Amino acid sequence: MSQTAFITGATSGFGKAVAQRFAREGWSLVLTGRRKDRLDALVEELGGQERALALCFDIRDETETRSALASLPAGFRDIDVLVNNAGLALGNGPAQDCDLDHWKTMIDTNITGLVTITRLLLDTLIARRGLVVNLASIASNWPYPGGNVYGGTKAFVRQFSLGLRSDLSGKGVRVTSIEPGLSESEFTLVRTGGDKAAYDRLYAGANPLQPEDIAETIHWVASLPPHVNINSLEIMPVSQSWAPFQIHRETT
Ligand code: NDP
Ligand code: 8X3
């Protein structure tokens, strides 16, 4: 019998690539996101409704989330792998210039949405001795100018992942925090409010990670023997590394 993966944010980027990667191995898939046309197209691409199920809802809305999960039919209810991927950054300016609504949207999506889905699926994951893969970021681990609340939400995701592992001791559930660096996806268009020139500048000559690289990594994590847990995994493109600390000097 095939295993089932529940992938949030499957309408683009990492989530879509993860769905395509798991589909190649014959997994049943639950695909979520707000853009129904994209979910429906992906279901078709991956073999139709026997193989994949589209659940269209906003993860910030607990009522929508509960009702989407309650609607899961028998063939898609026994979830073995939850990929908590849906998330976003809005803006990259200094905190003092940021839009408070952007901050709240990031917190509602990256933290509240993620923990809601995790809590609602946890009993199933325990029953299945399953795996939770959470999309954190290098921003979980390293501060950078303009990272402010986005980095804070991703630090939460990493620490929540490690805390889950502690609480699930003895249950056979694996939990992994994936922490990618520079990766090419619509993420940057969302972050910059659709600024294609900024998107092109960011990735120019950088040979960034691609969604398929992250999908391959997540598939690897899921295919390890059940006694092996990858706690956290930070991944950068070779072109990316650390910069010196900044020092502000008073001018005389
Ligand atoms: P994309 O913008 O390509 O994909 C984001 C996905 O999240 C979309 O499918 C979107 O679906 C979904 N999503 C966003 N908000 C909501 C919401 N309120 N309800 C439901 N779904 C939502 O970005 P990536 O694939 O690059 O990013 C995926 C994850 O990886 C994010 O958590 C991001 O923070 C993280 N990450 C990204 C990196 C990068 O550089 N790209 C690096 C490190 C981590 P829809 O709009 O249809 O609702
Ligand atoms: C996305 C990677 O470096 O823009 O999480 O924060 S970064």
Side-chain angles (χ1 to χ4, degrees):
M1 216 177 66
S2 80
Q3 292 188 291
T4 301
F6 186 108
I7 303 163
T8 69
T11 56
S12 69
F14 299 169
K16 182 176 179 183
V18 171
Q20 290 167 328
R21 183 67 187 85
F22 278 65
R24 273 183 14 222
E25 309 300 327
W27 286 62
S28 298
L29 300 165
V30 181
L31 310 172
T32 89
R34 291 165 299 180
R35 287 170 288 181
K36 186 172 183 322
D37 52 338
R38 291 196 184 199
L39 289 175
D40 290 343
L42 189 57
V43 167
E44 277 314 298
E45 177 193 323
L46 301 182
Q49 293 182 6
E50 287 197 0
R51 299 287 312 284
L53 179 85
L55 283 186
C56 188
F57 65 98
D58 187 326
I59 65 165
R60 291 171 296 175
D61 185 320
E62 183 182 332
T63 308
E64 273 189 40
T65 303
R66 281 183 182 277
S67 123
L69 296 185
S71 77
L72 280 171
F76 292 95
R77 223 175 270 155
D78 294 333
I79 292 148
D80 300 287
V81 174
L82 166 62
V83 183
N84 272 319
N85 164 77
L88 80 173
L90 292 172
N92 48 23
Q96 59 274 26
D97 294 341
C98 284
D99 180 335
L100 183 57
D101 285 339
H102 283 175
W103 282 6
K104 289 181 176 174
T105 300
M106 288 188 276
I107 292 166
D108 291 348
T109 310
N110 301 353
I111 297 181
T112 309
L114 181 144
V115 302
T116 301
I117 289 175
T118 304
R119 182 64 191 92
L120 295 177
L121 291 180
L122 212 45
D123 290 345
T124 302
L125 288 157
I126 289 170
R128 304 288 296 172
R129 299 177 78 81
L131 164 69
V132 181
V133 178
N134 290 330
L135 263 296
S137 166
I138 57 167
S140 309
N141 307 329
W142 311 102
Y144 60 84
N148 47 70
V149 167
Y150 177 70
T153 66
K154 290 300 175 177
F156 173 92
V157 171
R158 180 180 196 276
Q159 197 64 13
F160 177 60
S161 307
L162 301 180
L164 263 184
R165 278 221 68 216
S166 298
D167 288 354
L168 293 168
S169 174
K171 303 287 187 204
V173 177
R174 297 184 288 166
V175 186
T176 299
S177 167
I178 299 283
E179 295 146 20
L182 185 73
S183 311
E184 184 168 5
S185 78
E186 287 176 24
F187 173 87
T188 297
L189 289 177
V190 172
R191 185 173 206 166
T192 61
D195 186 341
K196 181 66 169 64
Y199 177 104
D200 291 340
R201 274 197 308 278
L202 179 65
Y203 299 123
N207 199 5
L209 297 173
Q210 296 297 320
E212 292 71 24
D213 300 318
I214 303 306
E216 194 58 41
T217 305
I218 292 173
H219 182 261
W220 171 73
V221 166
S223 61
L224 289 167
H227 67 283
V228 180
N229 194 95
I230 303 296
N231 297 335
S232 64
L233 194 53
E234 188 177 79
I235 315 166
M236 288 179 180
V238 174
S239 61
Q240 187 174 37
S241 57
W242 300 271
F245 287 117
Q246 58 182 337
I247 300 171
H248 172 75
R249 298 180 196 282
E250 300 295 336
T251 48
T252 48

